[in-house]
């Protein structure tokens, strides 16, 4: 019997921070066109931030709260981790996740599943719609120009006096409750800090671009990290690093920051001789403080039975060696997990 649907599976990819009326319109259109809709929640397994306030489980709850029981049975939601600086790895993750869900939910062995992408060409961030030529596609018009960034900024600044426009009713109620918990209050403080930070540059003729350095130090299967003492990202793990001074070279700035934040007891000539690689990381969204380009230096120290002693200083509450196997992207500041992933190749 011929299916009434154009597709067996439509794939809807987004961050859904938060899930709003525009997202719901796309999802409903997907259910009109396809037997199943696969929703991939991007930026999963990351710490809360002003750009990504809600974890995967919360976004999944928001999405299902907008669906009937029958609709919910046709929607399959999965987390999707970012792969900054490696589009090929991200595409592979999408393909594998979709393949797994199709295998689990498609029961017509006599023909291949008809798979497509659904979304709208919002801006440069929607380029992913061109990365899957093997699938069909459905383009949906952006509903009323709804923008999740504007919604987040409004929520983080104040309790909207007019309620929660552009949000489904169930989600508006959920977010009103979310405002009362400590996670949200911390995000509000983070947002306020960032807005104050940016206000110091509002008179600049052009938006400023900042230059920073980060030190990625590896020894005997361990990586040297710090705990951030100040906002943004207070309490998160991070690579030792910071802003370059006007009189410094990049390498000298990296060595200075490494010393100041970790008190690493390794002679400078040894550190310079241990630089294995250096790379630039320039994702436009890598820092909430503004356009920040970092130069990362990869130090590979000779294996030793005992790791050098370290101690937090300057902007670091503490410094410590962490086994590489214990790295958790959900506890690392900004894009530092992806820097480590790119430079070490794991």
């Amino acid at each position: 019997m011929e299916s009434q649907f154009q597709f067996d599976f439509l794939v809807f990819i987004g961050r859904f921070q938060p899930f709003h009326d525009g997202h719901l319109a796309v999802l409903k259109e997907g259910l009109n066109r396809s037997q199943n809709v696969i929703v991939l929640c991007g930026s999963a397994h990351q710490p809360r931030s002003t750009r990504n306030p809600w974890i995967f489980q919360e976004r999944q709850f928001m999405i299902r709260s907008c669906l009937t029981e029958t609709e919910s049975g046709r929607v399959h939601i999965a987390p999707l981790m970012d792969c900054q600086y490696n589009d090929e790895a991200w595409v592979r993750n999408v393909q594998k996740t979709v393949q797994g869900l199709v295998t689990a939910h498609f029961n017509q062995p006599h023909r291949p599943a008809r798979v497509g992408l659904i979304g709208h060409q919002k801006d440069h961030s929607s380029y992913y719609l061109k990365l899957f030529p093997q699938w069909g596609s459905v383009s949906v018009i952006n509903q009323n120009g709804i923008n999740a960034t504007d919604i987040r900024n409004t929520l983080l600044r104040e309790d909207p006096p007019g309620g929660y426009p552009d949000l489904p009713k169930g989600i508006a109620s959920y977010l009103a409750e979310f405002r009362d918990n400590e996670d949200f209050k911390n995000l509000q403080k983070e947002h306020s800090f960032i807005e104050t930070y940016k206000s110091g540059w509002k008179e600049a003729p052009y938006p400023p671009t900042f230059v920073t350095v980060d030190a990625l130090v590896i020894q005997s299967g361990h990586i040297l990290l710090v705990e951030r003492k100040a906002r943004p990202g207070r309490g998160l793990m991070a690579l030792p690093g910071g802003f370059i001074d006007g009189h410094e070279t990049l390498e000298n700035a990296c060595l200075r920051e490494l010393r100041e934040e970790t008190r690493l007891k390794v002679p400078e000539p040894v550190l310079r001789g241990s630089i294995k690689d250096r790379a630039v990381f320039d994702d436009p969204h890598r820092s909430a403080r503004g356009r920040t380009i970092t130069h990362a230096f990869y130090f590979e120290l000779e294996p030793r039975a005992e790791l050098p002693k370290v101690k937090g200083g300057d902007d670091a509450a503490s410094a410590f060696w962490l086994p590489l196997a214990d790295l958790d992207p959900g506890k690392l500041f900004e894009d530092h997990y992806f820097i480590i992933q790119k430079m070490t190749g794991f």
Side-chain angles (χ1 to χ4, degrees):
M1 180 178 175
E2 188 67 25
S3 171
Q4 62 174 312
F5 297 106
Q6 180 183 359
F7 295 92
D8 299 301
F9 295 87
L10 276 175
V11 181
F12 184 19
I13 305 173
R15 289 189 302 116
F16 312 116
Q17 297 276 9
F19 189 81
H20 54 59
D21 285 339
H23 295 138
L24 182 57
V26 174
L27 182 53
K28 293 285 190 178
E29 181 63 19
L31 288 167
N32 289 336
R33 301 276 196 108
S34 178
Q35 178 65 50
N36 300 273
V37 177
I38 294 172
V39 179
L40 300 182
C41 293
S43 299
H45 311 301
Q46 291 187 18
R48 295 185 195 271
S49 67
T50 54
R51 190 166 186 260
N52 293 301
W54 296 282
I55 61 175
F56 165 70
Q57 291 82 356
E58 292 164 343
R59 288 177 283 162
Q60 179 176 228
F61 174 82
M62 289 188 219
I63 295 167
R64 294 214 180 276
S65 72
C66 301
L67 303 173
T68 66
E69 185 176 346
T70 300
E71 289 172 333
S72 190
R74 295 167 53 203
V75 174
H76 315 289
I77 307 173
L80 180 66
M81 187 171 175
D82 291 346
C83 294
Q84 280 177 281
Y85 315 115
N86 192 335
D87 282 349
E88 290 75 18
W90 184 83
V91 168
R92 184 176 67 248
N93 285 351
V94 172
Q95 291 173 340
K96 291 185 65 132
T97 303
V98 170
Q99 184 181 49
L101 289 168
V102 168
T103 299
H105 297 283
F106 187 63
N107 55 8
Q108 298 185 40
H110 61 282
R111 66 171 177 82
R114 297 165 299 181
V115 180
L117 273 175
I118 187 167
H120 63 81
Q121 294 284 354
K122 182 179 66 171
D123 51 31
H124 63 277
S125 66
S126 304
Y127 77 100
Y128 72 86
L129 293 171
K130 302 176 181 179
L131 296 177
F132 304 92
Q134 75 273 34
W135 296 337
S137 65
V138 174
S139 182
V140 181
I141 296 174
N142 185 5
Q143 181 172 313
N144 301 325
I146 300 174
N147 187 305
T149 300
D150 295 338
I151 295 173
R152 285 195 307 276
N153 287 338
T154 299
L155 289 170
L156 288 166
R157 285 193 190 106
E158 58 189 352
D159 191 2
Y164 296 81
D166 301 326
L167 293 176
K169 184 177 179 180
I171 292 178
S173 299
Y174 168 75
L175 294 183
E177 293 180 9
F178 182 74
R179 293 178 62 87
D180 290 331
N181 71 36
E182 287 304 312
D183 286 326
F184 182 80
K185 295 182 189 312
N186 185 57
L187 286 170
Q188 278 192 309
K189 292 175 183 176
E190 192 95 340
H191 186 266
S192 177
F193 170 86
I194 291 167
E195 287 206 320
T196 301
Y197 184 94
K198 288 182 174 180
S199 69
W201 303 92
K202 65 181 179 182
E203 302 301 329
Y206 302 100
T209 297
F210 304 104
V211 179
T212 59
V213 289
D214 286 296
L216 197 169
V217 184
I218 301 288
Q219 186 168 32
S220 303
H222 288 67
I223 184 168
L224 180 56
L225 297 174
V226 298
E227 178 190 342
R228 287 185 60 82
K229 184 166 61 177
R231 297 187 186 280
R234 178 188 294 170
L236 293 176
M237 296 187 292
L239 295 170
F243 291 92
I244 183 172
D245 289 340
H247 63 278
E248 294 178 306
T249 65
L250 292 165
E251 186 174 307
N252 286 343
C254 186
L255 290 169
R256 173 183 57 76
E257 288 287 349
L258 179 57
R259 294 276 194 213
E260 289 177 355
E261 294 197 345
T262 71
R263 305 290 192 259
L264 178 63
K265 301 295 185 183
V266 175
E268 183 174 313
V270 174
L271 286 174
R272 290 187 187 276
S274 301
I275 297 175
K276 179 181 178 181
D277 195 10
R278 62 187 71 189
V280 177
F281 295 91
D282 61 352
D283 186 294
H285 299 292
R286 64 174 304 273
S287 178
R289 291 167 289 185
R291 187 76 165 98
T292 306
I293 299 172
T294 199
H295 297 254
F297 289 76
Y298 182 10
F299 300 82
E300 192 171 82
L301 302 178
E302 288 290 328
R304 296 286 176 89
E306 186 175 343
L307 295 168
K309 291 183 179 180
V310 292
K311 181 181 179 181
D314 195 33
D315 295 328
S318 64
F320 53 93
W321 293 97
L322 185 76
L324 287 170
D326 292 344
L327 279 169
D328 179 353
K331 296 179 180 178
L332 278 159
F333 180 59
E334 291 186 343
D335 62 345
H336 290 198
Y337 179 83
F338 304 107
I339 292 174
I340 297 166
Q341 189 178 55
K342 180 75 171 178
M343 298 196 78
T344 61
F346 72 76

